[in-house]
Amino acid sequence: MKMRGIIKAALKEQRKILSESEAKRLLRALKVPVAPYGVVKEAEEACKVAQRLGYPVVLKVISPDITHKTEAGGVCIDIADEEALKRAWMEMVLRVAHKRPGARIEGFIVEKMIKKGVEVIIGAIRDEQFGPVVMFGTGGIAVELFRDVSYRLAPASLETAQEMIREPRGFVLLNGYRGAPPCDTKGLAHTVVKVSELLCNLDELEAVEINPLMVYEHGVMAVDAKATLS
Amino acid sequence: MEEKRIPEFFFNPSSVAVVGASANPAKLSHIIMKSIEEAGFRGSVYPVNPAHQEVLGRRCYPSLDTMEEGVDVAIFALPAEKVVEELQKGASNISGAIVISGGFSETGPRGRRLEEELLSAAKDKGVRIVGPNCMGIYDTVSGLDTLFIPYDRVDRPPAGRIAILSQSGSFALTAMDVLAREGIGVSRMVSYGNKIDVDEADCLDFLRDDENTDAIVMYIEGIDDGRRFVESARRCKKNLFAIKVGRREAGKRATTLHTGSIAGRYELYRAAFREAAITELSGFEEFIDACRAIHRFRPAGGNRVMIITDGGGMGVSVADMCVDEGLVLPELPEDVAEGLGKILPPYFTISNPLDLTGNATDEWYLTTLAKTMTHRSYDAAIVVLLWGPPGLTDALPSKICELSKRVGKPFLICSPGGRFTERMSAIFETLGVPVFSTPEGAVRAASIIAREGG
């Protein structure tokens, strides 16, 4: 099984934190759409990948020492062309070295800059008393600021997932706010179900999180993913 | 998951021993002996204490192992260090132990070690434990009362259909004292303190088939095995309520992800309560209100409320509170509104809340209640009855009660006011119908019986 393979590889290297690309492979195995990307080591290679994906692109650092990439200066979005990409590359190397001295840089992710949707977070954790629990919340920063989230014990049924999605106040954003078409809440609910099942099926997994997941009128797409092992 | 055997002997013991029973009336162990007597326990009671020949006129045994016959439950009121020793000696003579004594894990590392010894001794000998550091059991079915608080200090509630499960003894006891004053009955109360063995899940497993219990109200600080609790609660098809205290406790998970840092413990408890169909109560007041509502009213069929009043302002304020509590206030169905329009003065606004104004009469109340509440649009009525209008007489209470019975839906009477109002409320009370002296209390009760039914 693909997912076990990913986890085994990390355990073999005695890693507790999966890389972004590993976490995204877990999602792909669950058939959750992921923004197209390539993993590269050299700037030249980055340009080739960007060419293939099509501009604009996003550049992200890969480092086992960095979990929150944005804070470490390891994310650059909306890169318009090859020249800008090369510049972003140089700047990022310097910035990360400055903000996180000693962090190992193993490479970079070049990712297609996908179109804006409604940002949500889906996470699952293993709780010492309640076992696997799934969380849903709306809107990037609002999640941390207002804790506008809902929880259920995992696994969640499709019906439960649909309930969860409606609970946060931010649901209005998904439901056709200010004349926008309503989002694909059914596709979103299916994704919540899949994430909720993940921890129930993989005992070594301690937590997993998609943040953000873009929700569109039709379909969803994961932009960033994290996973940790116990 | 393997289901533990339900320790039924705690709920229907035919004999109990009080280990450490003292002849000194000031000692807790002595008060426990007296409580057992006062509660009218019908089984045999054996004091156990090497220092006495007899306690309260009963023959006293030097230790559990010197008794000729075994007992179902031994109540331990001894210093913590002595509990383990006595339990080990007498284990073959008992099925269950209620360890009232404190001085265990709640006091620190030394107490924790004692508690571990206690648990392993009990497991070894196959003895089930309630406690330690608890009040034990108050049970109107078996007549057992292990509370070390005298009857002249804290009243005990009469027999009833509500079971109380509580980690805290003082919370449960205070609640029972208030319930007793109002004549609200209790079937069984278990205070399990440190709950090293018997916990809320075990009690739920017993109570789900207990024909003496209709509703279970829980006071929860923390649950060790959340999954097992949810499963037991799900299997228990009775009305479940819980108050969770210690809500600000943070999650203890070591994780770098947002999901981990956002999730406090309380949020997960709420998710679990929802999963287990447990109605959450916010605090002591709601705890009492819930017991009151369960005791006095049948569950409403749903959450649709009709408000009738003779005080417009009070009616609107009750309406606001209803909406905040998630109750709905359907407008009057056309035919009902039309019918009422013919009876009431033409300048009236027929709506919900319905204001009968200062011209209100007994007749108006009865007609409007009858016409609206016989309709399938409503599940319960809140009658905000203000006694100012001279058209209202002391004949109204009995007529409202009669109507409520005939319609078969709960009417919640809310009458804030002074001396005259209190006299009128007393008439309702003698008819067995409670009167809420605040709008908040009435709305909360409505919300509780609505959640029960829905």
Side-chain angles (χ1 to χ4, degrees), chain B residues 289-317:
Chain B
D289 280 341
C291 293
R292 198 179 277 144
I294 298 161
H295 178 71
R296 296 295 191 92
F297 300 100
R298 282 184 300 172
N303 65 348
R304 300 164 308 165
V305 174
M306 176 73 208
I307 301 170
I308 300 185
T309 183
D310 54 278
M314 202 61 97
V316 176
S317 127

Side-chain angles (χ1 to χ4, degrees), chain B residues 217-346:
Chain B
V217 192
M218 293 174 264
Y219 166 97
I220 293 169
E221 285 169 19
I223 291 170
D224 301 319
D225 187 342
R227 285 280 166 161
R228 188 168 156 253
F229 171 72
V230 169
E231 276 159 31
S232 292
R234 261 200 203 134
R235 276 195 302 266
C236 181
K237 306 286 180 218
K238 304 197 168 173
N239 288 311
L240 304 180
F241 298 86
I243 160 172
K244 165 74 180 89
V245 301
R247 291 175 201 155
R248 281 169 301 180
E249 193 192 344
K252 272 180 267 169
R253 286 163 300 275
T255 170
T256 46
L257 309 193
H258 287 315
T259 311
S261 55
I262 293 166
R265 301 239 48 83
Y266 177 52
E267 283 74 14
L268 302 187
Y269 276 98
R270 296 193 76 173
F273 288 168
R274 177 193 286 269
E275 205 107 351
I278 295 171
T279 302
E280 197 190 343
L281 305 169
S282 66
F284 187 75
E285 200 176 351
E286 271 204 24
F287 192 96
I288 298 295
D289 280 341
C291 293
R292 198 179 277 144
I294 298 161
H295 178 71
R296 296 295 191 92
F297 300 100
R298 282 184 300 172
N303 65 348
R304 300 164 308 165
V305 174
M306 176 73 208
I307 301 170
I308 300 185
T309 183
D310 54 278
M314 202 61 97
V316 176
S317 127
V318 166
D320 284 347
M321 289 178 217
C322 282
V323 172
D324 288 345
E325 285 281 339
L327 298 167
V328 295
L329 307 169
E331 272 312 319
L332 280 78
E334 227 168 277
D335 50 327
V336 176
E338 225 168 84
L340 289 182
K342 287 180 191 146
I343 300 161
L344 297 169

Side-chain angles (χ1 to χ4, degrees), chain B residues 41 74 122 136 157 193 221 357 422:
Chain B
F41 181 63
E221 285 169 19
T357 76
E422 273 169 17

